Amino acid sequence: MAQTEQLAKLIKQSSNAVFFGGAGVSTESGIPDFRSEKGLYSAQEVYGYPPEKLLSYSLFLEQPELFFRYYKENLITTAKPNPAHFALAELESQGRLSAVITQNIDGLHQVAGSKNVFELHGTNHRHYCMKCRTEYPLEYTLGFDVIPICEKCGGIVRPDVVMYEEQLNNKVISAAIRAIEGADLLIVGGTSLAVYPAAGLLDYFTDDNLVLINKGTTNRDTRAQLIINEPIGEVMRAVMEVLK
Ligand code: ZN
């Protein structure tokens, strides 16, 4: 594929590449996109609300049982990193990639070995007590039937993810913006760039070297230097072969 060779060339020439990824990066690990048509349908069918409501802060406060049920059954998985995650971790260790910015909460980039990861929507690997702020790992929360309770104070232990109606973490956003502003190559994968405000981050990239890897079209196709409409795992695996 000539496109993967082109991408490999751009990565070689770059001195500060950054990756920005969306749900499509995780779906190749078998994690369903809850914003997909199927995800929307099953949320409504099984839980009586769309995902935006089930994952909202107001529903969390009013019906925590329902929130945790949906969350546990749909956002906690035993999925493993796919070739895209491993390729990005490898590129970082080779000094070819400076940061990964992700909209996913599954922590799979770190599992694959990436170190500098900005998780715009938080992570399901971290939890904390809403009363005393004690932090707990994912494993602790799995020991509860529905609502995880703090062993120190009895407060509710919530996931460190950004729920609908909540603000994104300012520190994470600022760091992501700095990474994008400083990049000379931005590789965007697995997102149609439809979800704001995360998608607006792309406006901070002023260089020409924008690469879009997505199965469908995106909002920024006209700005891209290179567009690859193939599964990102295959694309990145092929790129790593060229870079060997
Ligand atoms: Zn507590």
Side-chain angles (χ1 to χ4, degrees):
M1 200 205 294
Q3 287 175 319
T4 46
E5 270 158 37
Q6 222 179 319
L7 176 53
K9 195 175 155 199
L10 286 172
I11 292 173
K12 258 191 207 166
Q13 288 168 348
S14 150
S15 57
N16 190 2
V18 166
F19 179 82
F20 181 98
V25 177
S26 292
T27 49
E28 289 184 32
S29 280
I31 297 175
D33 179 4
F34 65 82
R35 291 184 207 90
S36 72
E37 222 170 287
K38 204 177 151 205
L40 290 171
Y41 179 78
S42 77
Q44 193 71 52
E45 275 300 283
V46 181
Y47 306 91
Y49 297 101
E52 292 77 18
K53 179 71 187 163
L54 291 162
L55 295 170
S56 69
Y57 190 62
S58 52
L59 183 128
F60 170 75
L61 293 178
E62 288 156 17
Q63 305 183 59
E65 296 88 358
L66 182 60
F67 172 87
F68 277 107
R69 214 185 107 216
Y70 177 74
Y71 181 78
K72 268 182 130 171
E73 290 171 2
N74 294 275
L75 284 92
I76 302 290
T77 73
T78 52
K80 304 250 182 327
N82 64 56
H85 295 107
F86 287 117
L88 292 165
E90 178 72 22
L91 287 173
E92 184 186 24
S93 74
Q94 292 173 354
R96 287 180 154 139
L97 188 82
S98 62
V100 168
I101 301 163
T102 181
Q103 295 173 265
N104 301 324
I105 60 160
D106 49 51
L108 289 181
H109 285 292
Q110 290 92 331
V111 175
S114 285
K115 303 276 184 275
N116 200 28
V117 183
F118 302 117
E119 296 167 306
L120 298 175
H121 296 153
T123 173
N124 64 19
H125 285 245
R126 268 195 320 263
H127 293 70
Y128 64 90
C129 170
M130 293 176 74
K131 261 195 199 164
C132 74
R133 311 293 289 193
T134 299
E135 290 188 18
Y136 291 99
L138 174 60
E139 294 70 33
Y140 176 84
T141 69
L142 298 179
F144 294 83
D145 269 353
V146 188
I147 303 177
I149 299 296
C150 175
E151 62 186 2
K152 290 187 182 154
C153 78
I156 291 182
V157 175
R158 64 163 282 179
D160 195 358
V161 299
V162 181
M163 297 179 202
Y164 285 92
E165 300 162 8
E166 287 190 303
Q167 299 288 324
L168 300 190
N169 182 312
N170 270 331
K171 273 188 196 161
V172 178
I173 288 286
S174 306
I177 288 174
R178 274 198 303 277
I180 289 174
E181 280 177 336
D184 63 359
L185 168 63
L186 183 61
I187 305 167
V188 179
T191 169
S192 60
L193 293 171
V195 183
Y196 278 80
L201 285 173
L202 252 74
D203 294 334
Y204 290 93
F205 184 65
T206 51
D207 212 292
D208 291 331
N209 295 325
L210 176 66
V211 178
L212 301 174
I213 309 169
N214 196 49
K215 283 185 202 165
T217 55
T218 81
N219 286 353
R220 303 298 168 90
D221 280 10
T222 51
R223 251 201 70 188
Q225 164 98 261
L226 174 63
I227 299 172
I228 307 180
N229 295 127
E230 306 282 340
I232 190 163
E234 282 172 32
V235 172
M236 293 311 294
R237 184 168 21 208
V239 165
M240 297 313 284
E241 282 300 313
V242 179
L243 285 174
K244 256 185 192 167

